[in-house]
């Protein structure tokens, strides 16, 4: 979830070009789930992997390279996004050997056993003072992968919607002036390497903060008519409008060819306004059913990761952060979902 800070500096960087192709998802379903671990009562990783498999969830996002999770994933063929810790990004940027050691420790031993898809260098660091280190860290990690003859894992970063200075109508989507300085060279790196940008999108927070103007049906994919007409594009749900505002912003910085992966989206089942079990179940099921259709601006399947696998009792500070889980820690569902 979004970090809020506003000052950072720009950098110059040499874009590293590699020849391997970014694998566009070919399945109709492109749904994964984020496996957060901020709780003291969660099941052990082998049981979590089994729960993914029994529910036919074949994509996972983790926020750091937990050795026990990587061990549990061996042979599962679950496609994985693995993150670096935010506090490690500066070190990975400034010390080439640190990036080499990170890859040697966390990736190399698992090649052939774990199905790595993306390495996510920094989660929601833009905007912050640390943003200037994201791209050089990405380049160093990319170089370390190539030095180990690994050219199938894409290196990227994830951002929150706070990087946008304009989002309505969706075609007006544009990055803030400050964010654009950081994101533009990142987008060129992603384009050169045919990798996507990861974006965390939460219609829930837009609805909660502006429920007088945003209807619950529009936020939950339940609207029966076009709510926002934007030129030739008509929007019946808030998720598409938010995602297309990012797509429009990407086009404005030369990223029309860069895919956008929704690396987090979800709805809490308790803890605040509109955070109810019925709303959470409706949002997540409708999101699962919707992503194969794409958006009005980009009608292609949207690779999307639901947040999160479990209710996590140590998250905060907001109470609602404890209630984004699809499952309780005892592995029973918070509400029924069909993932396929």
């Amino acid at each position: 979830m979004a970090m809020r800070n506003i000052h950072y500096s720009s950098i110059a960087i040499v874009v590293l070009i590699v020849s391997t192709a970014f694998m566009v998802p070919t399945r109709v379903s492109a749904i994964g789930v984020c496996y957060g671990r901020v709780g003291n009562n969660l099941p052990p990783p082998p049981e979590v992997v089994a729960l993914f498999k029994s529910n036919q969830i074949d994509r996972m996002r983790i926020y750091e390279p937990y050795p026990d999770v990587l061990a549990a994933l061996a042979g599962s063929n679950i496609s994985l996004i693995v993150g670096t810790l935010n506090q490690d990004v500066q070190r990975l940027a400034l010390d080439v050997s640190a990036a080499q050691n990170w890859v040697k420790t966390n990736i190399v031993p698992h090649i052939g056993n774990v199905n790595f898809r993306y390495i996510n260098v920094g989660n929601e660091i833009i905007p912050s003072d640390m943003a200037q280190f994201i791209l050089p860290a990405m380049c160093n990690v990319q170089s370390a992968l190539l030095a180990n003859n690994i050219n199938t894992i894409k290196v990227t970063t994830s951002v929150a919607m706070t990087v946008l200075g304009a989002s309505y109508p969706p075609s007006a989507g544009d990055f803030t002036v400050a964010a654009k300085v950081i994101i533009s060279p990142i987008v060129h790196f992603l384009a050169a390497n045919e990798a996507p940008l990861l974006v965390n999108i939460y219609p829930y927070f837009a609805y909660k903060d502006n429920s007088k103007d945003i209807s619950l049906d529009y936020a939950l994919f339940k609207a029966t008519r076009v709510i926002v007409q934007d030129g030739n594009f008509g929007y019946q749900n808030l998720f598409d409008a938010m995602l297309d505002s990012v797509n429009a912003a990407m086009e404005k910085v030369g990223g029309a060819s860069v895919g956008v992966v929704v690396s987090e989206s979800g709805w809490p089942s308790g803890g605040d306004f509109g955070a109810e079990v019925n709303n959470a179940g409706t949002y997540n099921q409708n999101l699962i059913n919707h992503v194969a259709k794409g958006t009005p601006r980009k009608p292609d399947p949207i690779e999307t990761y639901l947040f999160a696998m479990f209710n996590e009792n140590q998250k905060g500070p907001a109470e609602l952060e404890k209630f984004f889980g699809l499952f309780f820690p005892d592995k029973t569902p918070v509400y029924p979902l069909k993932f396929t």
Side-chain angles (χ1 to χ4, degrees):
M1 301 191 183
M3 297 169 58
R4 304 189 185 276
N5 206 324
I6 58 173
H7 177 70
Y8 43 84
S9 59
S10 63
I11 56 171
I13 194 74
V14 176
V15 173
L16 184 65
I17 300 176
V18 297
S19 60
T20 54
F22 166 51
M23 301 298 292
V24 177
T26 57
R27 297 176 56 224
V28 173
S29 175
I31 286 288
V33 178
C34 302
Y35 172 22
R37 304 184 76 191
V38 188
N40 60 9
N41 58 353
L42 301 177
E47 294 182 17
V48 175
V49 171
L51 189 61
F52 268 73
K53 292 175 72 76
S54 67
N55 284 278
Q56 297 180 286
I57 307 166
D58 61 5
R59 300 171 193 255
M60 176 189 291
R61 179 185 180 186
I62 58 176
Y63 293 86
E64 61 180 280
Y66 305 102
D68 54 349
V69 176
L70 295 175
L73 284 167
S76 69
N77 204 37
I78 292 173
S79 181
L80 184 67
I81 302 176
V82 58
T84 67
L85 290 169
N86 283 357
Q87 58 263 38
D88 289 343
V89 170
Q90 182 174 355
R91 182 169 57 86
L92 294 171
L94 299 179
D95 185 354
V96 172
S97 65
Q100 293 169 340
N101 289 336
W102 192 95
V103 168
K104 182 178 180 180
T105 300
N106 300 304
I107 305 298
V108 172
H110 304 285
I111 290 296
N113 293 317
V114 175
N115 184 16
F116 293 105
R117 185 168 179 80
Y118 311 124
I119 295 174
N120 178 38
V121 178
N123 181 45
E124 297 186 347
I125 291 181
I126 306 169
S128 79
D129 292 339
M130 298 295 293
Q132 62 183 302
F133 299 109
I134 296 173
L135 185 52
M138 290 169 63
C139 288
N140 285 344
V141 170
Q142 177 92 296
S143 296
L145 290 171
L146 295 177
N148 285 279
N149 298 313
I150 301 169
N151 59 14
T152 56
I153 305 171
K154 299 300 179 179
V155 179
T156 182
T157 190
S158 58
V159 300
M161 292 293 292
T162 49
V163 297
L164 295 185
S167 60
Y168 183 87
S171 62
D174 201 0
F175 297 112
T176 65
V177 173
K180 196 174 293 186
V181 173
I182 299 295
I183 287 182
S184 291
I186 289 174
V187 167
H188 288 293
F189 172 92
L190 296 173
N193 291 289
E194 297 184 293
L197 180 70
L198 309 186
V199 182
N200 302 334
I201 295 179
Y202 287 92
Y204 167 75
F205 289 107
Y207 164 72
K208 180 177 80 76
D209 294 341
N210 197 18
S211 60
K212 290 183 179 180
D213 297 320
I214 297 174
S215 73
L216 184 60
D217 281 353
Y218 185 52
L220 294 179
F221 299 91
K222 292 174 62 179
T224 57
R225 61 181 178 84
V226 170
I227 304 299
V228 172
Q229 188 67 47
D230 183 13
N232 294 327
F233 302 132
Y235 292 87
Q236 288 188 229
N237 67 81
L238 182 55
F239 175 87
D240 279 354
M242 294 174 73
L243 179 51
D244 269 353
S245 68
V246 177
N247 287 325
M250 294 286 282
E251 293 171 10
K252 292 178 175 69
V253 294
S257 67
V258 176
V260 174
V261 169
V262 178
S263 46
E264 289 181 15
S265 193
W267 195 287
S269 60
D272 209 328
F273 174 80
E276 302 172 5
V277 170
N278 287 340
N279 288 345
T282 297
Y283 176 81
N284 281 317
Q285 188 64 69
N286 287 343
L287 178 60
I288 291 168
N289 298 341
H290 176 75
V291 294
K293 303 172 186 176
T295 69
R297 196 177 192 92
K298 286 196 171 183
D300 299 309
I302 308 159
E303 185 177 350
T304 301
Y305 293 78
L306 303 183
F307 186 89
M309 194 65 172
F310 299 105
N311 282 344
E312 299 169 61
N313 65 353
Q314 294 179 319
K315 284 193 70 83
E319 183 69 11
L320 65 82
E321 293 192 31
K322 297 179 173 68
F323 297 102
F324 275 89
L326 310 179
F327 293 88
F328 294 108
D330 66 1
K331 299 181 290 184
T332 58
V334 177
Y335 38 80
L337 283 180
K338 293 182 179 179
F339 293 94
T340 57

